[in-house]
Amino acid sequence: MTATRPAPRRRLGPEERRAAILAAARAAFATASYGEVAVPEVARQAGGSPAIVFHYFGSKEGLYAAVLEADLAHLADRQRAADEALPANTSARDRVRTWVLARLDHVAAHARGSLAREEPAAAAGVRDRARELDLAFLTEVLQPTDAARDRFSLLGFLGFLDAAGAAWASDGCPEDDRHPLAEAALGALQGALGDWRR
């Protein structure tokens, strides 16, 4: 039996090398938990060495945080594009609904991945920054007052959406449940706010 050799390394520029490492890490974390992913294997898949991974990302935790940040940035881009494609006179409810459906599409596309199952401490900061962007969007659309109730309503909605999305993902993201989940989330937000404000 002959051993297969890894692909020969080729010279890449810094941005290409970083992108190759991120792509290999994204693939690894999509099929295995954080603890199961080995940096040497990510490096091998990227055509580099563990030292080069650590050079760009500092640690395995830093690598994971970079993958998560790219994933959440991609989600934010999809949600923004979906919102911008709506007519100018779209109601606040329909804008939030479109935003929720884009988020569920993202969940479905990553349902088999390990992101969020087991995470290092650095992931919390990345998720906190993404949550701030979510709150900024909802605040822009709904124009809530500065009252504590509105703040808690938005935070509760995001928590509901995270939990319901995770349950939907664990069920295999059945398409028949996508719209009922979105409607339940919208109902929870409306109930918490009292109305749509706009």
Side-chain angles (χ1 to χ4, degrees):
M1 176 182 224
T2 59
T4 59
R5 291 184 179 182
R9 292 184 188 170
R10 65 181 187 95
R11 272 280 197 214
L12 298 176
E15 288 306 311
E16 287 177 303
R17 175 64 64 200
R18 188 175 193 285
I21 294 167
L22 273 177
R26 185 176 298 110
F29 288 123
T31 58
S33 70
Y34 176 79
E36 295 168 337
V37 172
V39 170
E41 180 57 21
V42 170
R44 188 183 75 72
Q45 292 296 324
S49 67
I52 201 78
V53 173
F54 293 128
H55 169 76
Y56 282 100
F57 299 98
S59 64
K60 179 180 172 181
E61 189 171 334
L63 177 62
Y64 179 88
V67 168
L68 179 61
E69 189 165 20
D71 183 58
L72 293 176
H74 178 0
L75 168 59
D77 289 345
R78 286 180 70 172
Q79 289 174 306
R80 187 172 25 263
D83 183 59
E84 289 172 356
L86 294 171
N89 62 346
T90 302
S91 70
R93 184 186 192 282
D94 286 343
R95 287 183 69 191
V96 174
R97 183 177 191 280
T98 297
W99 184 87
V100 167
L101 291 173
R103 188 182 197 103
L104 294 180
D105 289 344
H106 185 80
V107 167
H110 297 83
R112 279 176 255 155
S114 67
L115 294 180
R117 280 191 312 199
E118 171 193 338
E119 294 187 322
V126 174
R127 290 199 183 276
D128 288 346
R129 287 189 297 279
R131 172 92 4 143
E132 289 303 316
L133 292 175
D134 291 342
L135 287 170
F137 171 79
L138 293 169
T139 298
E140 174 210 325
V141 171
L142 300 170
Q143 298 183 355
T145 66
D146 291 337
R149 174 182 172 170
D150 289 343
R151 181 174 163 268
F152 292 134
S153 295
L154 297 180
L155 289 170
F157 165 70
L158 292 172
F160 177 95
L161 195 52
D162 287 345
W168 183 60
S170 72
D171 290 343
C173 300
E175 183 60 28
D176 289 348
D177 292 347
R178 181 173 173 262
H179 289 283
L181 191 163
E183 291 304 315
L186 292 169
L189 179 56
Q190 182 177 2
L193 288 172
D195 61 39
W196 283 104
R197 311 292 165 89
R198 288 179 66 196

